[in-house]
């Protein structure tokens, strides 16, 4: 079992930045792909970014390319999401997730989920 705990969400003005962190415990962290998903009110949970266990291969949703950066630190069992140039449409609950499958494109690709952290971007 892998336990995931997100932190770093909050309220920020449009154009601002936030850095989300996800701490993992249990399991073999370095063997899992990690991802960030988000779910806005009344919408489905969609992938934002994903990173393979090697820390090199990444995936970004078109809506965040060039603005968000995913990274991981395997020895520390941490994954991060640096979010720059935030827009009101980035407002959502952000979830950290882990799983053995790559590529990651859908909630079905992940086995473990954090509780989520709220990101609110004001205009």
């Amino acid at each position: 079992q892998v336990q995931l705990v997100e932190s770093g969400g909050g309220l920020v003005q449009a154009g601002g930045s936030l850095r989300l962190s996800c701490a993992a415990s249990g399991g073999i962290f370095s063997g899992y792909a990690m991802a960030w998903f988000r779910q806005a009110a009344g919408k489905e949970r969609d992938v934002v970014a994903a990173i393979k266990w090697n820390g090199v291969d990444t995936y970004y949703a078109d809506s965040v390319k060039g603005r968000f950066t995913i990274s991981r630190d395997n020895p520390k069992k941490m994954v991060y999401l640096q979010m720059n140039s935030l827009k009101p449409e980035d407002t959502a609950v952000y979830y950290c997730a882990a799983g053995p499958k790559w590529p990651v494109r859908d909630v079905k690709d992940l086995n473990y989920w954090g509780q989520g952290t709220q990101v609110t971007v004001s205009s």
Side-chain angles (χ1 to χ4, degrees), residues 68-122:
F68 291 12
T69 303
I70 189 170
S71 61
R72 66 188 293 162
D73 185 331
N74 285 345
K76 294 184 178 179
K77 294 189 175 183
M78 296 290 296
V79 62
Y80 306 99
L81 186 68
Q82 178 65 44
M83 306 186 294
N84 299 328
S85 302
L86 283 161
K87 304 175 181 179
E89 51 263 44
D90 295 318
T91 296
V93 177
Y94 283 69
Y95 297 91
C96 176
K101 184 179 177 181
W102 184 264
V104 172
R105 296 292 185 271
D106 186 83
V107 294
K108 298 176 182 178
D109 296 330
L110 288 305
N111 298 64
Y112 306 102
W113 294 85
Q115 82 289 348
T117 185
Q118 176 71 46
V119 172
T120 303
V121 184
S122 63

Side-chain angles (χ1 to χ4, degrees), residues 3-4 10-11 17 19 21 32 37 47 49 57 63-64 70-71 74 76-77 79-80 84 88 92 94 97 111:
Q3 292 79 44
L4 303 171
L11 174 64
S17 299
R19 187 195 195 203
S21 299
Y32 288 104
F37 281 67
V47 64
D57 299 307
S63 59
V64 305
I70 189 170
S71 61
N74 285 345
K76 294 184 178 179
K77 294 189 175 183
V79 62
Y80 306 99
N84 299 328
Y94 283 69
N111 298 64

Side-chain angles (χ1 to χ4, degrees), residues 14-33:
S17 299
L18 280 175
R19 187 195 195 203
L20 304 183
S21 299
C22 175
S25 59
I28 304 174
F29 178 81
S30 59
Y32 288 104

Side-chain angles (χ1 to χ4, degrees), residues 3-64:
Q3 292 79 44
L4 303 171
V5 179
E6 304 96 334
S7 61
L11 174 64
V12 63
Q13 288 188 331
S17 299
L18 280 175
R19 187 195 195 203
L20 304 183
S21 299
C22 175
S25 59
I28 304 174
F29 178 81
S30 59
Y32 288 104
M34 301 296 297
W36 289 95
F37 281 67
R38 68 185 180 187
Q39 188 168 19
K43 296 189 177 181
E44 294 184 349
R45 190 173 300 188
D46 294 322
V47 64
V48 174
I51 187 166
K52 200 175 179 180
W53 39 86
N54 60 11
V56 175
D57 299 307
T58 57
Y59 167 83
Y60 294 95
D62 288 343
S63 59
V64 305

